[in-house]
Amino acid sequence: MKGIDLFQLFLYLVLLIALAVPLGRYMARVYQGERTWFDKLAGPVERLIYRLTGVDAGREMNWWQYALAVLVFNISGMVLLFLLQLVQGILPLNPQHFGAVKWDLSLNTAISFMTNTNWQAYSGESTMSYLTQMAGLTVQNFLSAATGMAVVIALIRGLARHTARTIGNFWVDLTRSVLFILLPISVVGALFLVSQGVIQNLSPYLNVHTLEGARQTLAMGPVASQEFIKELGTNGGGFFNANSAHPFENPTPLTNLVEMLAILVIPAGLAITFGRMVKDVRQGRVVLAAMLILFVLALGVCYTSEVTGNPQISALGVSGPTAMEGKEVRFGITNSALFATVTTAASCGAVNTMHDSLTPLGGLVPMLQIMLGEVVFGGVGSGLYGMLIFVILTVFIVGLMVGRTPEYLGKKIESREMKMATLAVLIPAATILIGAALAAATKAGTSSIANPGPHGLSEILYAFASGTGNNGSAFAGLNANTLFYNLAIGLAMFIGRFGVILPVLAIAGSMAAKKAVPAGPGTFETTGGLFAGLLSATVLIVGALTFFPALALGPIVEQLLMFAGKAF
Amino acid sequence: MLLVMTLLTGIIYPLAVTGLARVIFPRQAAGSLVYRNSAVVGSSLIGQKFAGPGYFHGRPSAAGDGYDAASSSGSNLGPTNKKLIDTVAERAAAVRKENGLPPNAPVPADLVTASGSGLDPDISPQSALLQVPRVARYRHLSEQTVRQLVESHIKGRQLGFLGSSRVNVLELNLALDALK
């Protein structure tokens, strides 16, 4: 490992923590309705929104009212986005005159953006009008992120409160997420991206004559405004097909660094917010520590595999880093491996390197991180609520091993919480494995494979993991714009999102109702290094037990074959 | 709520950013376009196809027919796909032939692998230096002149430590044309 590589990786982690801690504290103030320095600007807008929409900000909801509001709001957003794509041909801001998007692709895309997945079976620059990108896709970039944040805050309230019936008001949590956090950071971030060269205009595509006299059409559009929220909201849907590998989305190593920070800053910050809201900052730190342990492990494997590269290519007399297929020169191996690890630790799915062309183990890391439930920082909101599910599992398992009553934050973990936590882990896992098995066993599934051999299975596995985990990155060789994949992945995204959100909110409700019991000698500490280790081990063990057989047939065997000089 | 949020985040926000960007960073917002004799010849951020021996060549591209900036894409070839290995072998042979190198001379990886976007504007300094003798011979310039031009176009790591050092192919070729 070269010193400068190590330095860049280290710098990223330092900057991430340095930004996440103050942001986490600020978010705690926002969600607890405390005064912030931003009130003067956002306060009047917030009150105006409540007046326009008739929201009574003082009225709290119980868990199923909260869940119902989440469902109604998200599904209406999905329907609106679906319809917008169907009629975009007759609407303004469509300089390339793109027609209606086909119904199955449109449905897939609507589910995809509503669930914070941003799986893209289309190519942005040849499918979507500027209006669809702005008023459809950008909107869901904000709202799906705000939904995730609202849900985790509801869960945190459930853990923090005792003998309470309510867990907050969804409309307020949603509005404050957008107004106080996502929107202001996005405005500043988007302008910074423009300063480095990310485009932001409404012009038609530009025809130029190149130096050699050929014609080149430069795709244009309002890119920066979508680009930044794409990362900040861990959405990941690129304006262009090539996503953050495209120089108009990610022109310099500096934009690359900023985009990677934007991806993880809210998920990492929320761990701090959690500690503040449960009035014990150590509880937040221990979760953050477990996330960091897993992240460094994943990054180490991905980076090492990519630097080692492809021996079959170096055998051809190729010098330098051999795994450059699908990567950009300005990022090189280091910043591509880092981006791939970051984007799949989160449920982001933006890519600056083509994951299909990663070395087998380098590609295993993103896939495994998604399969683990994206709890290594994770998506905005979804990462922390996923990790808190694992916390409950860990507390329970440890309780079984040492014969102590499982307790967390002064509350007993009982059968109902365990059932819900188990559901939240099993539903996505089953969706990934059953979906992938179905695709691997049918012509409709296998005919979309682009790369032969074990890599083909990896493409299918990755697709269902990415959809279910609401990640959205892809082994993009797989032709996903078919009726089968549009519907199957669409369903997987829906189940993966709400199959976790509903159990999480149910846990929030039942934990809020519990009586607080004072910590006794039988209480297991959930704040120290030991717990951070146990928590990260639980995540790894559950993931490995569930997915190792499938991974062995895909990336693991491919890695061995690559070193044995086999190609397909 | 949905309609209010759509208006706020889908209309007001992107239009406000567009307006601000146009005022503060007009060149970047419009695509960092490059002009020669007042005609647009491309964007300094988007690679172009160069095939003639008198120009420096960029990386192989999987975007459309090559460097199609309305159809960005990587090849998505997997690491054990025979097509990848064979294609790289062919490209390496072609590079050696064009540049008059012996059959087992090392060729930098970025010159024989397709980029992620298909629009990578850069190549590594090694890839640029490898092409110096060919370009110099074809343009009847001294190798030293061309090498100096390449060296003056090497962009170091951003801020001294970020990313990789690189050469922007379009900018280099424009400077080459401007030499005489």
Side-chain angles (χ1 to χ4, degrees):
Chain A
M1 186 184 274
K2 279 193 294 190
I4 190 105
D5 293 355
L6 190 63
F7 176 72
Q8 291 182 73
L9 302 178
F10 184 70
L11 178 80
Y12 173 76
L13 285 175
V14 171
L15 286 175
L16 176 66
I17 301 299
L19 291 169
V21 170
L23 179 67
R25 290 185 187 144
Y26 168 74
M27 289 193 290
R29 298 185 71 84
V30 167
Y31 289 116
Q32 290 175 321
E34 293 167 22
R35 291 186 60 83
T36 69
W37 57 273
F38 201 60
D39 281 0
K40 272 212 180 74
L41 217 62
V45 185
E46 186 188 7
R47 286 188 290 278
L48 176 69
I49 289 178
Y50 296 151
R51 206 164 51 241
L52 283 175
T53 55
V55 167
D56 178 358
R59 217 176 82 193
E60 292 224 336
M61 301 168 169
N62 62 29
W63 81 265
W64 61 263
Q65 287 167 328
Y66 203 101
L68 193 66
V70 169
L71 280 176
V72 168
F73 180 71
N74 278 276
I75 290 173
S76 18
M78 179 186 93
V79 172
L80 184 69
L81 178 53
F82 175 66
L83 295 176
L84 182 61
Q85 294 173 74
L86 294 185
V87 298
Q88 69 168 8
I90 54 168
L91 294 175
L93 288 175
N94 185 9
Q96 298 313 116
H97 308 289
F98 293 132
V101 181
K102 227 175 124 246
W103 75 269
D104 55 319
L105 177 59
S106 185
L107 179 67
N108 179 283
T109 307
I111 298 176
S112 170
F113 278 70
M114 177 269 289
T115 55
N116 198 254
T117 312
N118 298 32
W119 171 265
Q120 294 172 293
Y122 64 92
S123 160
E125 62 263 50
S126 59
T127 315
M128 299 295 179
S129 77
Y130 293 165
L131 187 74
T132 309
Q133 298 262 26
M134 285 164 44
L137 304 179
T138 303
V139 170
Q140 284 303 324
N141 273 285
F142 278 97
L143 299 184
S144 63
T147 298
M149 293 160 86
V151 169
V152 80
I153 295 302
L155 175 62
I156 294 173
R157 288 199 192 101
L159 294 170
R161 292 174 176 181
H162 50 87
T163 49
R165 284 185 49 247
T166 60
I167 54 173
N169 180 315
F170 172 67
W171 306 115
V172 173
D173 291 339
L174 176 89
T175 307
R176 290 181 76 83
S177 299
V178 172
L179 280 186
F180 284 79
I181 301 165
L182 298 173
L183 196 55
I185 304 179
S186 293
V187 171
V188 177
L191 285 174
F192 171 76
L193 292 184
V194 177
S195 77
Q196 289 282 305
V198 178
I199 58 174
Q200 178 75 23
N201 60 58
L202 300 170
S203 319
Y205 293 3
L206 187 66
N207 288 314
V208 301
H209 286 277
T210 66
L211 282 199
E212 284 198 338
R215 226 178 73 139
Q216 189 180 38
T217 302
L218 300 175
M220 292 282 142
V223 177
S225 54
Q226 187 166 333
E227 181 69 20
F228 200 79
I229 185 62
K230 164 187 122 185
E231 270 96 21
L232 188 67
T234 61
N235 295 283
F239 196 95
F240 300 116
N241 185 47
N243 210 298
S244 291
H246 197 297
F248 277 162
E249 287 199 23
N250 192 2
T252 65
L254 189 58
T255 55
N256 194 60
L257 176 68
V258 169
E259 290 180 14
M260 290 189 298
L261 287 169
I263 291 172
L264 287 187
V265 71
I266 292 182
L270 279 170
I272 303 296
T273 309
F274 164 64
R276 294 236 144 194
M277 289 181 72
V278 299
K279 308 258 181 303
D280 184 354
V281 290
R282 294 171 307 164
Q283 302 286 357
R285 280 190 216 137
V286 79
V287 170
L288 193 59
M291 291 171 166
L292 266 175
I293 294 171
L294 291 167
F295 183 79
V296 170
L297 282 177
L299 179 60
V301 174
C302 186
Y303 171 81
T304 309
S305 180
E306 291 304 300
V307 166
T308 309
N310 188 336
Q312 300 190 30
I313 287 187
S314 57
L316 301 171
V318 171
S319 63
T322 49
M324 279 304 283
E325 184 76 22
K327 294 191 179 65
E328 301 276 301
V329 168
R330 62 192 177 284
F331 308 135
I333 298 288
T334 310
N335 288 290
S336 300
L338 179 59
F339 200 110
T341 311
V342 166
T343 195
T344 51
S347 73
C348 185
V351 296
N352 80 349
T353 174
M354 296 301 122
H355 288 192
D356 218 349
S357 301
L358 291 170
T359 56
L361 280 189
L364 175 136
V365 166
M367 205 182 322
L368 182 63
Q369 287 201 111
I370 297 171
M371 288 167 168
L372 294 180
E374 288 153 341
V375 293
V376 185
F377 301 108
V380 289
S382 59
L384 183 61
Y385 64 63
M387 194 54 139
L388 289 174
I389 293 290
F390 275 104
V391 167
I392 290 176
L393 281 183
T394 307
V395 169
F396 179 75
I397 293 169
V398 170
L400 283 185
M401 287 194 297
V402 299
R404 287 169 165 175
T405 329
E407 279 170 30
Y408 186 51
L409 303 174
K411 307 232 194 88
K412 282 207 180 82
I413 305 285
E414 290 166 300
S415 133
R416 180 177 160 83
E417 292 79 55
M418 281 317 299
K419 280 182 194 153
M420 290 298 153
T422 312
L423 276 180
V425 172
L426 283 185
I427 289 175
T431 311
I432 295 172
L433 290 175
I434 294 171
L438 200 69
T442 55
K443 188 95 189 14
T446 52
S447 58
S448 285
I449 288 175
N451 287 292
H455 201 85
L457 178 65
S458 301
E459 285 184 342
I460 291 179
L461 262 180
Y462 199 103
F464 281 90
S466 174
T468 310
N470 298 142
N471 187 278
S473 64
F475 274 16
L478 185 81
N479 174 21
N481 187 14
T482 64
L483 189 65
F484 171 78
Y485 276 105
N486 276 333
L487 297 183
I489 303 281
L491 190 64
M493 293 188 286
F494 198 90
I495 298 175
R497 181 73 164 174
F498 297 105
V500 180
I501 283 185
L502 294 181
V504 162
L505 287 174
I507 292 176
S510 75
M511 291 299 277
K514 284 178 195 282
K515 282 198 286 266
V517 283
T523 307
F524 186 78
E525 278 290 328
T526 55
T527 48
L530 176 63
F531 188 74
L534 283 170
L535 177 57
S536 39
T538 305
V539 171
L540 277 180
I541 291 166
V542 170
L545 288 177
T546 316
F547 295 107
F548 184 77
L551 292 172
L553 295 173
I556 294 176
V557 73
E558 192 190 5
Q559 180 82 12
L560 297 173
L561 291 170
M562 181 179 83
F563 275 93
K566 274 261 177 3
F568 299 88
Chain B
M1 182 63 82
L2 181 61
L3 294 179
V4 173
M5 286 293 172
T6 300
L7 187 69
L8 181 66
T9 63
I11 305 287
I12 297 176
Y13 159 70
L15 291 185
V17 173
T18 308
L20 287 169
R22 182 180 289 181
V23 174
I24 313 175
F25 307 111
R27 191 182 61 81
Q28 293 94 321
S32 307
L33 301 177
V34 181
Y35 296 83
R36 185 163 67 175
N37 309 326
S38 75
V40 185
V41 292
S43 160
S44 64
L45 294 175
I46 303 290
Q48 297 187 352
K49 196 191 276 183
F50 288 104
Y55 280 120
F56 284 89
H57 298 175
R59 300 183 62 189
S61 161
D65 302 330
Y67 287 100
D68 181 346
S71 181
S72 62
S73 180
S75 73
N76 285 312
L77 292 176
T80 55
N81 193 331
K82 213 175 232 124
K83 205 168 144 200
L84 173 70
I85 312 297
D86 293 347
T87 312
V88 170
E90 278 164 31
R91 286 174 185 151
V95 167
R96 290 183 187 113
K97 194 169 160 223
E98 280 167 2
N99 294 284
L101 297 170
N104 50 3
V107 177
D110 59 292
L111 211 50
V112 290
T113 51
S115 62
S117 61
L119 304 172
D120 196 337
D122 303 315
I123 52 178
S124 66
Q126 294 83 340
S127 293
L129 291 169
L130 178 144
Q131 302 182 53
V132 164
R134 183 196 78 222
V135 172
R137 195 175 338 116
Y138 191 80
R139 296 213 167 213
H140 307 295
L141 293 165
S142 78
E143 281 190 24
Q144 199 197 352
T145 314
V146 180
R147 179 165 293 115
Q148 272 169 359
L149 190 73
V150 170
E151 275 161 5
S152 69
H153 275 80
I154 295 177
K155 286 186 202 166
R157 294 170 188 267
Q158 202 172 8
L159 310 177
F161 56 86
L162 271 180
S164 309
S165 52
R166 57 210 160 103
V167 175
N168 184 303
V169 181
L170 176 59
E171 285 173 1
L172 176 62
N173 283 332
L174 272 169
L176 195 59
D177 278 352
L179 272 183
K180 49 174 184 178

